């Protein structure tokens, strides 16, 4: 007999995502002295934050982990609560069902399916951008509008898509014909899109993007990520 990491046996690739969630939950929240296969059904949100952070850093292979504001966004998402404060969430427990069974409101996927899609996209296409802190990533569309509403034309930032699994989108300030400003969102880029043309080159292509929020010229921020044109 030997202690090992949890193992899940699957019979089809479409079970892979659920299997990874089961392994992660068991590995993070089971007690060493336990009845076999018994794991807590609910765990403190703070413990979940630590687990998601460790998983993110290990998968992406980066030293830049999640920040307090990222945890706040993730809490709003998993609890479907946009009125609570950061401190309110710290005293809550999150359930296995909220993590990997319940479909997110208005979506066709669970919290874990969405988070795992972000992991995969960042690992495959965005590691250097994330490590350089060029991507805010975990931020709501509504909060982006609030941040950018007073910024000059052409200010932009990058966030992970809320509506699609494994997508990154660019939100930017655009000036209308009447002179008023509004925040536009570009359709999310998937890993397939970014394998065809990198994120840095796509940002260079888009003339309406000028300064990375709050005020860094885009060539200064992303210049090292541009590929030389043939």
């Amino acid at each position: 007999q030997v202690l090992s990491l949890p193992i899940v046996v699957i019979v089809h690739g479409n079970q892979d995502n659920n299997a990874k969630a089961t392994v992660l939950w068991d590995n993070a929240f089971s007690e060493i002295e336990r009845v076999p296969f018994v794991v807590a059904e609910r765990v403190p949100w703070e413990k979940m934050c630590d687990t998601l952070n460790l998983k993110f850093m290990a998968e992406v292979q980066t030293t830049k982990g999640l920040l307090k504001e990222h945890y706040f966004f993730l809490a709003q998402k998993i609890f479907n609560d946009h009125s609570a404060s950061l401190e309110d969430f710290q005293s809550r427990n999150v359930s296995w069902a909220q993590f990997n069974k319940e479909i997110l409101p208005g979506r066709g996927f669970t919290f874990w399916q969405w988070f795992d899609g972000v992991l995969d996209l960042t690992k495959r296409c965005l590691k250097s951008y994330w490590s350089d802190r060029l991507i805010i990533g975990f931020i709501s569309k509504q909060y982006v509008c609030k941040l950018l509403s007073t910024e000059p034309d052409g200010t932009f930032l990058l966030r992970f898509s809320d509506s699609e699994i494994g997508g990154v989108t660019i939100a930017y300030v655009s000036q209308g014909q009447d002179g008023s400003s509004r925040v536009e969102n570009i359709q999310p880029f998937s890993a397939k899109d970014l394998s065809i043309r990198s994120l840095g080159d796509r940002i260079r292509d888009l003339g309406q993007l000028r300064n990375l929020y709050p005020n860094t010229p885009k060539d200064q921020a992303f210049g090292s990520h541009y590929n030389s044109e043939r």
Side-chain angles (χ1 to χ4, degrees):
Q1 290 184 350
V2 63
L3 285 172
S4 79
L5 293 177
I7 294 170
V8 177
V9 179
I10 62 174
V11 297
H12 194 279
N14 63 11
Q15 299 170 331
D16 182 60
N17 189 269
N18 190 53
K20 284 196 283 186
T22 304
V23 169
L24 182 68
W25 189 276
D26 193 292
N27 198 31
F29 307 123
S30 62
E31 301 293 336
I32 292 175
E33 300 292 331
R34 63 161 171 169
V35 177
F37 312 112
V38 172
V39 196
E41 189 65 27
R42 305 181 74 84
V43 296
W45 172 243
E46 280 192 306
K47 268 192 172 184
M48 174 59 76
C49 289
D50 290 341
T51 299
L52 293 176
N53 184 44
L54 289 170
K55 179 68 174 170
F56 191 93
M57 291 172 72
E59 283 284 324
V60 178
Q61 296 188 316
T62 179
T63 57
K64 299 294 170 58
L66 305 183
L67 305 174
K68 197 179 351 179
E69 48 267 37
H70 296 152
Y71 295 138
F72 186 45
F73 165 75
L74 293 171
Q76 289 178 321
K77 195 171 190 69
I78 202 167
F79 292 113
N80 189 30
D81 185 347
H82 296 272
S83 59
S85 67
L86 184 63
E87 291 70 31
D88 292 335
F89 288 129
Q90 286 173 345
S91 60
R92 291 194 191 182
N93 288 337
V94 62
S95 69
W96 165 252
Q98 288 169 313
F99 179 67
N100 189 47
K101 274 193 173 179
E102 296 170 1
I103 300 297
L104 292 171
R107 306 293 181 224
F109 43 81
T110 66
F111 174 85
W112 167 250
Q113 286 172 327
W114 174 83
F115 188 82
D116 189 44
V118 167
L119 273 182
D120 185 61
L121 175 73
T122 309
K123 177 173 66 176
R124 289 167 62 186
C125 306
L126 304 175
K127 176 183 172 180
S128 58
Y129 303 91
W130 175 269
S131 296
D132 289 346
R133 289 292 190 212
L134 298 174
I135 298 174
I136 293 181
F138 299 104
I139 185 172
S140 70
K141 202 171 186 177
Q142 293 76 12
Y143 192 57
V144 166
C145 288
K146 185 179 173 185
L147 279 183
L148 296 182
S149 61
T150 56
E151 296 298 322
D153 189 29
T155 305
F156 69 98
L157 56 77
L158 293 100
R159 66 178 186 86
F160 297 123
S161 173
D162 254 345
S163 57
E164 293 184 21
I165 293 178
V168 63
T169 188
I170 302 170
Y172 67 97
V173 182
S174 170
Q175 195 167 37
Q177 290 182 336
D178 59 356
S180 64
S181 291
R182 64 179 185 273
V183 176
E184 302 277 5
N185 287 274
I186 292 172
Q187 185 175 336
F189 301 123
S190 65
K192 184 180 177 182
D193 296 326
L194 298 177
S195 69
I196 295 168
R197 189 157 178 79
S198 72
L199 181 64
D201 289 341
R202 288 174 185 272
I203 287 171
R204 177 170 55 180
D205 292 343
L206 295 165
Q208 67 268 44
L209 308 182
R210 294 181 190 143
N211 295 307
L212 180 66
Y213 178 86
N215 56 7
T216 308
K218 77 172 182 184
D219 290 342
Q220 181 182 324
F222 291 92
S224 61
H225 298 276
Y226 295 162
N227 291 304
S228 56
E229 295 292 341
R230 293 178 182 172

